[in-house]
């Protein structure tokens, strides 16, 4: 069966390949015709559409060789003995005779599989390629100009015919700098977006030869066009965005502006991957520190980078800095390189209490001067000996408290399991098991109540930390069903005062161990360990824990009445509150005095105030808005008003660096200069000026005058002594 599947796929691929070979020459011919008639851009669009169409037809024709086609082909060849339909039927639905015939046909096909691939249509392929290449050659090689006789009949006066000039063809050749990696391209459109420092070459052809022609830029610069073999050419280097038009004598019929956007090379950017935070607290005894960076650039980053490492030593005013540099080699693509390095803290001389600061510096491949990019600084702070001791003490305190918050999940699991088993359990047994789960909920509620300073119902003391589960998994929280009656016994062993001074929490008398401080205190004293621990919780955490106890109380009541379905919502809410308590921050401050470093008297200020002056900085006056620009904006709003376009053009050139889009404003000015009566052009220029005008600073709103009632109230206030 596998061999048959492979032969089937080969047949479909052969069908698709034949379709592609038949369609490619006609796609080539269509692209050549579009190039000749409409230019390079339209030719690219036509070629893309033709290739997509060929691919779609090839895929459709390949899918036509479906399973029904395969069955007909096998039956027609005689290899399947007219039983090809059995090959694709479900074997479980076939009777023994059909299964035997199916096995026989498969064995026969394995021995002698017929050829399923269609034959190559060599003659049709050859004719298509000959015809397509012929059409392409004729389209590209046909003369551009008409015959001399025809031209003489059409224009008897030759080059001296009257009327404006017209552009027959335009071509802009763009050669980007080598560091960008962009290929050289040629386009028919005179509008373009190019990389900075690209070399531009214009080649224009007119319907008749002008006396002279040039490119007029919006900043007043002229670039003359020189005639060569019937084409007028000019070269320039793109450095700033400009607007320009083609000007000739006699004048051109089309005088529209063309936009040339120049994209400057951006400096590389460096992102810190590891560590994730800018400040990292080291661990005691840490010897290594791994750093990873990613440098990206629009054109490429050099493979080598410099890692600057600064180590601070000392504290207070006695801090010294030791700087080092390491050269790193990057990996990955040029536009997104990654740099990694592992610092040896011992080799750097970093001691506890010191800081290690790292920063990566990369350069791009911009020519002739590379641009520099730096990452943000990352700091490794090695803890001092005092900080380590304080952290260890805080860790011990923190680890004891969450150990008791790990049973609510198992109560929910037991309740859900009981609900699933409801149909197979007797009603009395169901209520008894639900009541047992309610007892577990009650014991857990009392444990949490102890952390709020509550001592009620004679609840058993929390077990030692070593006896509690150390995982939040359900397995670690599971309670044995054999202990359900023990929980009920514990639930009843209490007094109304909430104190149990006599015996153990489980109701059994356990003789004290001689010499044990814990047993002596529990035998003759009264401990309030958990009430004191409750003071370590902040008010918000205490409120959250109180909300969890309320939900546990509601869940317990439903469980004790044999309604676990109604208890689940309360149990889930209690679990959510418990999770918030587990994640709460608790802060412990060490009650020790500050240990300040000794003061180096040699580094203190001498007290000499000679040469000191006031450091008050003068307020820089805000540049007032040019009133002529405001007046021009107002005149554009009037139907008969005509602004001074020369003044606006000069103002635009002076403030081009601060305008949101200087080229759009320049284009609007030039368009209105060409068409003074164009209402749409006036509105467009007015909109561009509105975007360029500075917004006035917000002023304090004057309080509105009081109404009659308010005035009476103010008068009454003034009348009071």
């Amino acid at each position: 069966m596998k061999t048959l599947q492979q032969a089937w796929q080969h047949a479909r691929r052969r069908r698709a390949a034949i379709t592609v070979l038949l369609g490619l020459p006609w796609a080539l011919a269509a692209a050549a015709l579009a190039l000749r008639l409409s230019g390079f851009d339209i030719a690219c669009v036509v070629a893309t559409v033709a290739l997509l169409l060929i691919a779609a037809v090839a895929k459709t024709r390949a899918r036509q060789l479906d399973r029904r086609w395969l069955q007909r082909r096998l039956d027609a060849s005689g290899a399947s003995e007219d039983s090809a339909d059995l090959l694709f039927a479900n074997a479980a639905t076939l009777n023994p005779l059909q299964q035997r015939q199916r096995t026989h046909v498969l064995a026969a096909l394995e021995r002698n599989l017929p050829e399923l691939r269609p034959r190559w249509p060599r003659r049709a392929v050859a004719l298509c390629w000959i015809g397509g290449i012929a059409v392409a050659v004729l389209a590209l090689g046909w003369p551009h100009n008409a015959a001399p006789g025809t031209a003489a009949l059409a224009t008897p006066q030759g080059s001296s015919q009257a009327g404006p000039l017209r552009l027959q063809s335009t071509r802009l050749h763009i050669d980007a700098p080598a560091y960008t990696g962009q290929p050289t391209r040629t386009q028919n459109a005179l509008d373009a977006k190019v990389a900075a420092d690209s070399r531009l070459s214009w080649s224009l052809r007119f319907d008749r030869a002008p006396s002279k022609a040039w490119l007029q830029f919006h900043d007043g610069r002229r670039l003359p066009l020189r005639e060569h073999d019937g084409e007028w050419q000019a070269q320039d280097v793109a450095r700033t965005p400009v607007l320009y038009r083609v000007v000739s004598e006699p004048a051109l019929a089309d005088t529209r502006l063309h936009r040339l956007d120049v994209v400057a090379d951006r400096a590389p950017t460096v992102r810190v991957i590891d560590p994730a935070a800018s400040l990292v607290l080291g661990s005691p005894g840490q010897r290594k520190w791994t750093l990873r960076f990613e440098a990206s650039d629009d054109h490429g980053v050099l493979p080598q980078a410099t890692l600057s490492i600064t180590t601070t030593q000392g504290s207070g005013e006695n801090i010294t800095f030791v700087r080092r540099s390491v050269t790193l080699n990057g990996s990955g693509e040029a536009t997104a390189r990654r740099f990694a390095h592992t610092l040896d803290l011992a080799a750097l001389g970093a001691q506890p209490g010191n800081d290690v600061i790292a920063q990566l510096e990369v350069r791009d491949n911009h020519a002739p001067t590379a641009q520099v990019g730096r990452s943000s600084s990352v700091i490794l702070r090695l803890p001092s000996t005092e900080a380590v001791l304080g952290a260890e003490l805080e860790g011990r305190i923190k680890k004891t408290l969450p150990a008791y918050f790990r049973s609510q999940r198992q109560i929910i699991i037991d309740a859900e399991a009981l609900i699933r088993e409801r149909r197979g359990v007797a009603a009395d047994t169901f209520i008894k098991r639900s009541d047992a789960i309610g007892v577990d909920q009650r014991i857990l509620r009392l444990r949490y109540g102890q952390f709020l300073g509550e001592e009620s119902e004679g609840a058993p003391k929390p077990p030692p930390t070593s006896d509690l589960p150390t995982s939040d998994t359900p397995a670690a929280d599971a309670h044995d069903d054999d202990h359900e009656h023990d929980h009920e016994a514990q639930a009843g062993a209490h007094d109304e005062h909430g104190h149990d001074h006599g015996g153990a929490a489980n109701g059994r008398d356990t003789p004290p161990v001689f010499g044990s401080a814990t047993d002596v205190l529990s035998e003759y004293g009264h401990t309030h360990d958990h009430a004191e621990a409750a003071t370590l919780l902040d008010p918000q955490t205490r409120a959250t824990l109180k909300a969890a106890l309320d939900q546990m109380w509601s869940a317990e009541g439903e469980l004790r009445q044999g309604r676990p379905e109604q208890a689940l919502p309360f149990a889930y809410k209690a679990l959510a509150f418990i999770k918030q308590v587990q994640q709460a921050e608790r802060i412990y401050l060490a009650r020790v005095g500050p240990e300040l470093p000794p003061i180096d008297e040699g580094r203190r200020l001498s007290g000499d105030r000679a040469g000191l002056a006031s450091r008050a900085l003068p307020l820089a006056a805000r540049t007032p808005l040019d009133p002529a620009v405001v007046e021009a904006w107002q005149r554009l709003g009037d139907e008969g008003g005509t602004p001074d376009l020369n003044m606006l053009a000069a103002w635009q050139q002076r403030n081009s660096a601060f305008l949101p889009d200087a080229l759009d404003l320049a284009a609007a000015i030039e368009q209105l200069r060409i068409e003074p009566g164009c209402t749409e052009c006036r509105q467009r220029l007015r909109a561009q000026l509105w975007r360029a005008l500075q917004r006035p600073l917000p002023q304090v709103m004057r309080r509105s005058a009081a109404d009659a009632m308010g005035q009476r109230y103010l008068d009454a206030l003034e009348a009071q002594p």
Side-chain angles (χ1 to χ4, degrees), residues 81-391:
E81 300 178 1
D82 294 335
S83 302
D85 56 337
L86 297 177
L87 300 177
F88 303 99
N90 188 3
T93 61
L94 300 178
N95 56 41
L97 182 59
Q98 290 175 331
Q99 292 181 0
R100 184 174 181 181
Q101 177 64 13
R102 182 175 183 272
T103 305
H104 173 70
V105 172
L106 285 176
L109 291 177
E110 290 290 339
R111 293 191 304 269
N112 186 16
L113 183 65
E115 179 63 37
L116 300 178
R117 295 178 297 179
R119 296 181 180 179
W120 287 103
R122 293 183 175 86
R123 180 175 299 178
V125 171
L127 290 176
C128 288
W129 277 95
I130 292 173
I133 292 175
V135 173
V137 171
L138 289 175
L140 297 177
W142 196 267
H144 287 268
N145 297 329
T150 307
L153 292 175
T155 58
Q157 298 179 356
S159 61
S160 62
Q161 75 177 47
L165 289 175
R166 296 184 183 276
L167 283 172
Q168 281 189 340
S169 64
T170 58
R171 187 169 68 252
L172 178 59
H173 183 80
I174 304 170
D175 188 7
Y179 72 86
T180 62
Q182 298 178 0
T184 301
R185 72 179 192 270
T186 302
Q187 63 182 35
N188 294 330
L190 296 181
D191 298 271
K193 179 182 288 187
V194 300
D197 300 329
S198 296
R199 299 192 63 84
L200 307 176
S201 299
W202 288 268
S203 180
L204 310 177
R205 186 181 293 274
F206 300 91
D207 59 349
R208 66 181 188 274
S211 59
K212 62 178 179 179
W214 66 91
L215 300 179
Q216 180 68 50
F217 295 92
H218 80 282
D219 56 2
R221 186 167 57 96
R222 284 189 176 188
L223 184 62
L225 292 167
R226 294 178 175 83
E227 193 271 338
H228 179 72
D229 293 339
E231 292 186 348
W232 293 76
Q233 300 175 351
Q235 292 79 32
D236 196 14
V237 178
R239 291 188 173 89
T240 58
V242 291
L243 295 171
Y244 71 98
R245 64 163 54 92
V246 181
V247 183
S248 66
E249 292 182 1
L252 274 173
D254 187 4
T255 59
R256 69 174 182 270
L257 286 170
H258 304 283
R259 179 165 179 160
L260 187 64
D261 287 307
V262 177
V263 181
D265 183 21
R266 299 192 303 269
T269 59
V270 186
R271 181 174 62 93
V272 181
I273 300 177
D274 192 14
S278 58
L279 177 60
V280 181
L281 299 179
S283 57
Q286 182 175 350
R287 297 178 177 270
K288 303 291 182 181
W289 189 29
T290 302
L291 301 171
R292 290 191 300 161
F293 304 88
E294 183 182 48
S296 58
D297 187 71
D298 45 2
H299 298 305
V301 180
L302 294 181
Q304 290 187 341
T306 302
L307 180 63
S308 301
I309 307 167
T310 304
T311 306
T312 64
Q313 298 177 354
S315 59
E317 296 183 352
N318 302 325
I319 296 180
T320 58
F321 300 90
V322 179
R323 293 181 173 86
R324 299 177 178 85
S325 297
V326 179
T327 301
L328 305 182
N329 293 321
S331 60
E333 300 180 356
T335 56
R337 295 190 186 274
R338 293 206 169 191
F339 300 87
H341 186 67
T342 301
L343 297 179
D344 188 351
L345 302 181
L348 295 175
Q351 301 295 330
N354 297 161
D355 291 349
V356 180
I357 308 170
Q359 185 182 44
L360 186 69
E361 179 181 295
V362 300
R363 299 176 183 272
D364 63 2
N365 54 6
H366 184 273
T369 304
Q371 300 182 101
V372 180
R374 296 179 178 85
S375 70
S376 59
S377 299
V378 289
I379 305 173
L380 174 64
R381 180 157 296 169
L382 299 176
S384 60
T385 305
E386 294 79 3
V388 171
L389 294 176

Side-chain angles (χ1 to χ4, degrees), residues 27 30-32 34 41-51:
D41 295 338
I42 301 299
C44 291
V45 173
V46 171
T48 303
V49 172
L51 292 177

Side-chain angles (χ1 to χ4, degrees), residues 557-574:
E558 298 295 342
L559 289 170
R560 297 299 293 268
Q561 299 180 55
R563 296 195 296 265
E565 294 88 351
Q566 289 82 351
L568 279 180
F570 302 108
Y572 273 112
K573 291 181 180 179

Side-chain angles (χ1 to χ4, degrees), residues 676-698:
C678 178
T679 305
E680 184 179 353
C681 300
R682 295 172 63 89
Q683 295 301 324
R684 178 186 175 191
L685 177 57
R686 194 166 190 263
Q688 292 295 333
L689 281 179
W690 177 256
R691 294 180 57 195
L693 294 177
Q694 296 180 358
R695 302 295 184 269
L697 295 176

